[in-house]
Amino acid sequence: MAKVPNVVTPIPGPKSQALIDQRSELVPPGVYLVQPVSIAASKGCILTDVDGNTLLDFTSGIGVTSLGHCVDEIVETISDQAGKLIHSCIHVANYEPYVTLAKRLTEITPGGFKKRALMLNSGSEAVENAVKIVRQSTGRKNILSFENSFHGRTYMALTLTGKWDPYKVGLEPFVPGVYFTPFPYSYRCPWGTDDKEECGKAAIHHIEKNIFKTQVDPGTVGAVITEPVQGEGGFIDPPKDFLPMLKELCEEHGIMLIDDEVQTGFGRTGKMWAIEHYGVEPDLMTMAKAIASGLPLSAVVARDDLMKDIYPGSLGGTFGGNPVACSTALKVIEIIKREKIVDKAAKLGKKLRKRLDEFHSKYEPIGEVRGLGPMLAMEFVKDRKSKKPDPETSSAVMKECLKNGLMTLKAGLYNNAIRLHPPLTIEDEHLETGLGILEKAIKKHA
Ligand SMILES: Cc1ncc(COP(=O)(O)O)c(C=O)c1O
């Protein structure tokens, strides 16, 4: 096996830097850049930059290339479909990959009830459309979302996002009819308890006794939207009973539960859907990222009774559910099933957890290791007692990783978490190499 990573220039190398300089002149800085490197090619879990450095990718382009980069079968599918039909627009003329994907998605999502699916281009668009479906089908206009959540950058999705800086800075006014309640972020429980389950109970109690009494009449709330594990918020997995209690509360008030699986879906947490860890069947689900191995595609899957009477023309778009993207998604689902990727992800999760727990026991700045399956993050703190966030150390660790050829991502309300998004198909040797680089970087800055 070729040496991976293989760092032959400082990063960014001269060609990477020249491209980044051009980007700085041509692209608004709002399109942020985490890693100062320009990529030319990719395969499996390896990225090759324009200077010829090979880097280990523990980002998967934010959880997108979960099967690895440029998988041969995926490339063939894209090329075959592109040779047959690239576009007709689903509103102009029907085509088979869209309909077959709708069928597959309704089959592989939780809930034995009849469902329908709608395809779009991005996670944000899926969130927009889930809300449109709820508002039109239930007639209820208000939506409850969680603090520290991320649902996207289009206006409704952004409104629903529970983190101000950087997403919402200067972008007011937002969409009316959105309310927020704290998420049970148990490491920093808003209700002051150190007990994870108690934190979950307090979060439900707060909705019932505070939000529904002082902020909004539950009879006007169409949906509660939540990520089953908060992604951008720092991989915060809620207490075990929280989502079942939330669903129960929703049912009591006739409120729909929107499960935003954009980041958690397609095996990322060691189950096909993160919500399966909690035994909850949501009314609507949004999904994107890993759905089509890097092609822009997203979907809303929802109960048939919510979808069947949606007014013709009020959903969709020119590119939503493009034939090439839909064919690719069908191939992704086929590979996940055939190669038992979900089982592999669960095993990967155990290995990763063991190593990160070891890091936690050795290195003081790691305040907490958390997440589900292989979707794991480490939150960095100045000291474990005060839990004061330490984004400087997490950034320094990430920089050191990149210097040594490992790409990682940050997350969290305080930008002090390092999250790991390796391909679910990563080989042991690459995993070990990457973790070795990560440990050395933590050790250097601990
Ligand atoms: C949970 C969740 N919802 C929605 C989105 C928005 O997806 P996109 O960036 O494809 O619009 C994201 C993106 O990170 C996400 O993590």
Side-chain angles (χ1 to χ4, degrees), residues 124-145:
S124 302
E125 257 192 282
V127 168
E128 297 284 330
N129 281 272
V131 172
K132 283 162 85 176
I133 291 162
V134 165
R135 283 185 166 172
Q136 208 183 84
S137 64
T138 66
R140 296 184 181 195
K141 305 303 177 195
N142 293 319
I143 309 290
L144 182 62
S145 185

Side-chain angles (χ1 to χ4, degrees), residues 357-370:
D357 282 348
E358 279 166 23
F359 296 175
H360 179 252
S361 65
K362 287 201 238 170
Y363 306 111
E364 188 65 18
I366 301 175
E368 186 179 56
V369 171
R370 58 169 176 258

Side-chain angles (χ1 to χ4, degrees), residues 35-99:
Q35 301 283 13
V37 63
S38 303
I39 299 300
S42 64
K43 191 77 189 166
C45 62
I46 299 162
L47 298 169
T48 305
D49 78 2
V50 288
D51 294 288
N53 297 297
T54 56
L55 310 168
L56 259 179
D57 184 16
F58 276 18
T59 76
S60 300
I62 320 188
V64 170
T65 51
S66 287
L67 300 180
H69 290 277
C70 293
V71 174
D72 291 345
E73 252 186 288
I74 298 283
V75 176
E76 276 161 31
T77 302
I78 293 171
S79 153
D80 285 355
Q81 183 59 48
K84 283 189 222 148
L85 175 70
I86 295 178
H87 180 77
S88 77
C89 181
I90 197 64
H91 305 298
V92 173
N94 193 34
Y95 45 86
E96 191 264 342
Y98 191 112
V99 180

